[in-house]
Amino acid sequence: MLFVERVRRAWRLSGEWVSRVDLQDHEEKILLLLSLVISATVGLVIVGFVVLTERLGGLLVAAGPVQRVLTPLAGSLVGGYLLFRYFPLARGSGIPQTRVALLLQRGVIDLKTVVGKFLCASISLGSGVALGREGPSVHIGAGIASIAGRRLGLSEEKVKSLIPVGTAAAVAAAFNTPLAAVLFTLEEVLADMHARVVGSVVIGAATSWIVLRLILGDEPLFHVPGYQLVHPVEFLVYAFLGLLGGLVSTLFVKLLLWQRLQFQKVPSRWKAYSPGVGGLVVGLLSLAVPGVLGVGYNLVSEALNGQLAVQIMLLLLVLKIIATTVCYSSGNAGGVFGPSLFIGAMLGGVVGQTVHLMFPDHTGNAGAYALVGMGAAFAGIIRTPMTSVIMIFEVTRDYTIIVPLMIANLCSYFLAQKLQRVPIYEALAGQDGIRMPSPEHRLEPLPVSRAMRSGGEEATEEFFVHPDDAMDLALQKMGAAGRKEIPVVSRTGGATIGVLRAEDALAAYLTPAPESEKPAPKRSWLPAMALITGAAVLIVAGLVVWQRSRRVDLAREAYESGQALLAQGRPEDAVLEFRNALAQNRNDVKLRAALGLALVQTGHEREAAAYLPEVARQQPGNGPVWAGLAKIALANGDANRAQELLRQSLARDWTDEEAGLRRTTQFEYARLLAAGGRVNESIAFLLTLIEQRGDDAGLGKQAAEMVRELGGAEKTEVAYGLLASRFPADSGVWTQLGSARLANGQDRQALDAYQRAVKADPGNTEAGRGVEQVEDILRWDPTRRGLSVRERARRWDEILRRVMVATEDCLPPEQTEKAAALLRRRTASLREIDQKMETALDLWRASASGCKTGAMLTHVMAKLED
């Protein structure tokens, strides 16, 4: 409480100080500095607002279904209560409220509304309500500018001139789009592209953008691959997309306005809870698709990169329209800026994937259409066509799509304007009983030439007008000078050509315009459209010819870049390069194969299936393509089909550069054979592989290791025997051969292999231990041929003793006592040798597996058991 009191006291003292200082004489001097300070402040506040809502929304998308339903409901109820009880002016988007404050309320936006907008919008957006953050950002930025200007005692005109500065700064910080922020402020907030505050607006956007860059860095809102026009017919598709964007935009606006009208009929005692309807609806819809929560820019990014299925995008399109309209119309704090981009991206993605499947050689990938769809929906809903073009360019930093974007935006804008005459923000204000002034309804000013007479006195340096000046200007100059007439001066020579009298000016306002000045009757627009269309066709044809002359080189460069990325282990980046290459030359089979194989490598088998089958038909001898088809079949769960395709791929052509891929394919084929129960075929294939590629030590070792995993000691011995014959100086091969022989019961041969390994590499410790182990086995193995009875008896005594030591903790005493008694007797005959052998085997078989330790003893006892 002490802190709050100190803040209030500081605020009161600042107001008293301002009241004692006359700032009216210094407005122009401090306006520039104030614009900079306001813009920086707005940038900091909006960056904090964006980071807060993004992090809260990100946590919600990953939450469980119950939390996804309850959190938006709770957030909308809490926010709705705060809006109804404390901050009634903070509802909705904020952009209509900003225009009302600027044009009708002398630029006044109070501190309570700004605080309420930040708090309630943070709660609603952070809880997952399907609205955007840009509208609230505009209201917050305009409010900060209004508060600062009024607190400093600036005139009403100067306060109103600061509000566009705050709005431009807010849009630049929320979207990282300084150019679009300037255009939006002029096009929507001021509705005047020639406003005098353009300089201040530019300063505001630039300063806020600098603050954003210093805090979060200069990253575009979306990262997208480069797009290229594939065929001139795409212009028609983009125009069609624009018309669809106009229809969807009109549906969105009409549905929102109708729902908002119904919610306005809710009794006052329930209005605090009506936002909960929006939270409940979006929560329930999130059970089907969590992407309807919040703004959903992550899904927009996936759509721009062609990573969403057409069914998912269509579902998201429908559900987002429902969720956003209900959330907004029910009274939650949030805007339609971001949702309009989301809706457009999903619409464009659906159209793009559909036409690409129908006309793959004449259309680009779905991401390009998703990008254009964003602009089309934005232009149709927000009604700012120039802002939408520049904004889409800035949020993606991709200029190559600018012409299709302009076509689609204009089609969407004009159709939406025909179907829904009143723009959304003006209509929202109208539902609240506010009639916003519109430049479309303002009459053209009368020129001085309508009422001037010839002759008159010579003009002074400042007291005159020109014939094309507005009559209002002339009357204002007369009033300022206290005179009833004013000289009219030519713009070309500066000579006085007439005089305008006050009574003549008034008569001109009361007299209808002469026939010569009346608007000409409307003429048919068909000839003009035909001429424009013909010129456009000629221009497009010239561009196409020029593009085709460069496509081959651009495709080759992109292909080489993709191959280099694959070599660096960056297949995802390689896919983007191969897309670019194929966009330049759709008929190049090599590019189709490269893109298809890269898609398979990155796990996009479904999309790869659109490229590789056609390549296989055109190039039946292309081994890698058949291998790619096998991976697609395997991803679809058809292992038998995959085996056959891999077999065919290995029988076809492979270049030297594809040797590594061919090796991988060979082992995949062997694994599939084994997994399908054809182990013997798999081993035979691997042994053949070792024989045929005997010069490749790495391949041979990999094949032999796979044989060891599949075929046991005998096949492993064969595999490493082949390798040892080809690489006699390879110590590792001899070591593995020794291990295989030892496991196969060929002790002397194993010793020979281990000794060769040590000879090839004296530092091979594994081979050295192998030599010691086999020598120990040969020293105590009682099964060796040529032993005397005495020596054999001695060895059996040693074996029995070792077995007793190993099993004494695992067997009952009576069993080991019998063996001990037998061991104390001197062996004098073969019968006693056999008795000791049987006793040792019985103890070994009866003991637990944990007792069977010691490599030599285990090996010898395994031979005896066999």
Side-chain angles (χ1 to χ4, degrees), residues 4-269:
V4 174
E5 289 298 328
R6 289 180 177 177
V7 171
R8 289 176 177 174
R9 184 171 180 273
W11 183 260
R12 185 174 60 255
L13 291 175
S14 66
E16 295 175 357
W17 176 82
V18 169
S19 64
R20 292 195 300 267
V21 180
D22 186 8
L23 297 178
Q24 300 292 330
D25 298 334
H26 305 281
E27 284 183 340
E28 296 297 335
K29 297 179 181 179
I30 69 172
L31 197 59
L32 176 61
L33 178 61
L34 189 56
S35 297
L36 293 171
V37 174
I38 289 174
S39 304
T41 304
V42 171
L44 289 171
V45 173
I46 299 304
V47 168
F49 176 65
V50 170
V51 172
L52 175 63
T53 53
E54 276 188 351
R55 291 187 177 178
L56 292 176
L59 294 174
L60 182 59
V61 172
V66 176
Q67 187 175 350
R68 289 204 302 268
V69 173
L70 296 181
T71 303
L73 176 60
S76 57
L77 287 174
V78 172
Y81 177 79
L82 293 176
L83 288 170
F84 183 81
R85 179 69 176 81
Y86 300 104
F87 311 109
L89 298 180
R91 290 190 176 192
S93 165
I95 294 176
Q97 294 85 341
T98 299
R99 292 196 65 199
V100 169
L102 177 64
L103 300 177
L104 305 179
Q105 296 176 346
R106 298 175 291 114
V108 175
I109 302 175
D110 57 27
L111 178 63
K112 179 180 179 181
T113 300
V114 174
V115 173
K117 197 69 172 184
F118 187 97
L119 177 62
C120 296
S122 297
I123 293 173
S124 61
L125 299 181
S127 65
V129 171
L131 296 175
R133 66 195 182 214
E134 293 74 25
S137 298
V138 168
H139 202 188
I140 293 170
I144 292 174
S146 173
I147 294 167
R150 289 183 291 110
R151 200 63 185 171
L152 289 174
L154 299 183
S155 65
E156 177 183 323
E157 179 184 357
K158 292 299 186 289
V159 171
K160 293 171 67 174
S161 71
L162 287 175
I163 288 182
V165 176
T167 61
V171 175
F175 256 130
N176 192 10
T177 55
L179 293 178
V182 173
L183 277 177
F184 178 78
T185 300
L186 299 178
E187 199 171 11
E188 174 59 35
V189 178
L190 294 173
D192 184 4
M193 297 295 287
H194 304 285
R196 296 181 179 179
V197 295
V198 172
S200 300
V201 170
V202 172
I203 290 174
T207 305
S208 177
W209 178 79
I210 291 173
V211 172
L212 170 68
R213 181 170 181 176
L214 291 175
I215 297 175
L216 299 181
D218 184 23
E219 287 293 326
L221 190 59
F222 305 111
H223 290 275
V224 298
Y227 298 127
Q228 297 291 338
L229 182 68
V230 175
H231 194 276
V233 76
E234 282 198 285
F235 286 124
L236 298 177
V237 182
Y238 285 122
F240 173 71
L241 174 57
L243 296 176
L244 281 182
L247 290 174
V248 172
S249 300
T250 303
L251 171 65
F252 176 86
V253 173
K254 287 185 176 294
L255 182 60
L256 186 147
L257 294 175
W258 177 81
Q259 290 182 358
R260 189 169 187 265
L261 195 60
Q262 307 310 310
F263 276 104
Q264 285 182 333
K265 299 176 183 179
V266 173
S268 298
R269 65 179 181 274

Side-chain angles (χ1 to χ4, degrees), residues 74 154 249 314 381 451 588 623 670 697 751 757 834 842:
L154 299 183
S249 300
L314 184 59
I381 295 174
D588 193 321
L751 179 61
D834 292 340
D842 290 341

